[in-house]
Amino acid sequence: MSSIAPPGERAVDRALITQRLAAAPSLEELLTLDDLERQVMLAKDGTPRPAAVLLLVVNQTAGRSVVFTQRTAHLADHAGQISLPGGRCEGSDATPERTALREAEEEIGLAPERVEVLGRLPVYHTGTGFRVTPIVGWAEGPLAYRPDPREVEEVFEVPLGFLLDPHNHHYETGFQRGRLRRYWALPYGERYIWGATAGMLVAFQRILAGGPGGG
């Protein structure tokens, strides 16, 4: 893939995101060898359950940001973690886009008509057995959130410029369920964005920057 200069945060508008998502490379071209080997392993581990998340870019007066949720501590999957709004696909969901918008409405009270869908990121496999399709959306701010207290402890936004700066992307090592693993992390103040969510954000940044070498 040819090298494209990484855009500044203010240059990342709906048109640019749509254009680069449409020409996005495969996950194999975006990930390092360690990342890719892990994705291949997870994809072959049983039958992954389909899911979708919404990577929502909000155009606020002060700048662009991305919406995250802090999940409640009692959930069966990803309890207490920072995630993008989303969840597993249901039989009535015709597309991953429908899943992502439905889940966002249920989890944070975001009306689907507020979201303009711009495209998809490559499918991402998680260690908890999900095959996740990240849907990228755009919304004009301000937005009012109504988090579902059963699933969401808090809704917050992180500046897009922070997420698009590869210097904030850390590849870390730690034990998960008794196994030594490597994973992406994006610490933001007291927030710790890591795992599959961080991996999707790294893929998003690399697509906008033109590939792994573009950042």
Side-chain angles (χ1 to χ4, degrees):
M1 183 176 185
S2 61
S3 177
I4 305 174
E9 185 266 340
R10 293 305 304 179
V12 179
D13 59 13
R14 286 175 290 187
L16 185 141
I17 295 174
T18 302
Q19 174 191 3
R20 296 202 177 174
L21 287 175
S26 66
L27 202 63
E28 289 82 358
E29 295 177 78
L30 291 170
L31 296 180
T32 64
L33 183 58
D34 284 348
D35 291 323
L36 181 57
E37 289 178 346
R38 175 167 166 75
Q39 286 293 294
V40 170
M41 176 191 71
L42 292 173
K44 294 180 178 179
D45 186 14
T47 304
R49 294 164 286 178
V53 296
L54 179 64
L55 196 167
L56 182 64
V57 178
V58 184
N59 188 29
Q60 303 281 22
T61 302
R64 285 155 194 152
S65 58
V66 172
V67 179
F68 293 89
T69 64
Q70 177 86 46
R71 297 170 66 84
T72 54
H74 65 270
L75 294 175
D77 297 311
H78 309 290
Q81 292 184 14
I82 292 174
S83 303
L84 298 167
R88 67 186 68 194
C89 297
E90 296 183 355
S92 59
D93 295 336
T95 63
E97 286 79 5
R98 169 58 186 160
T99 298
L101 294 175
R102 174 183 55 76
E103 286 284 341
E105 184 173 25
E106 293 174 1
E107 290 184 359
I108 65 174
L110 178 65
E113 56 267 23
R114 293 296 305 270
V115 180
E116 178 183 353
V117 173
L118 303 183
R120 301 180 181 182
L121 297 178
V123 171
Y124 201 95
H125 289 84
T126 74
T128 50
F130 288 95
R131 186 181 74 253
V132 183
T133 302
I135 304 301
V136 180
W138 180 279
E140 295 294 329
L143 297 177
Y145 304 114
R146 292 181 288 103
D148 180 350
R150 297 169 299 177
E151 297 187 52
V152 178
E153 184 73 25
E154 184 181 3
V155 183
F156 63 96
E157 298 179 15
V158 175
L160 180 62
F162 175 88
L163 299 173
L164 295 184
D165 185 348
H167 294 98
N168 297 323
H169 302 174
H170 304 280
Y171 204 41
E172 301 187 353
T173 302
F175 280 95
Q176 299 175 31
R177 289 182 285 179
R179 297 181 61 181
L180 186 65
R181 300 187 184 277
R182 301 194 71 187
Y183 52 86
W184 286 105
L186 282 77
Y188 176 69
E190 297 182 354
R191 314 278 189 183
Y192 189 68
I193 306 168
W194 69 286
T197 299
M200 296 172 201
L201 293 167
V202 169
F204 183 53
Q205 182 272 329
R206 289 179 172 178
I207 287 172
L208 294 184

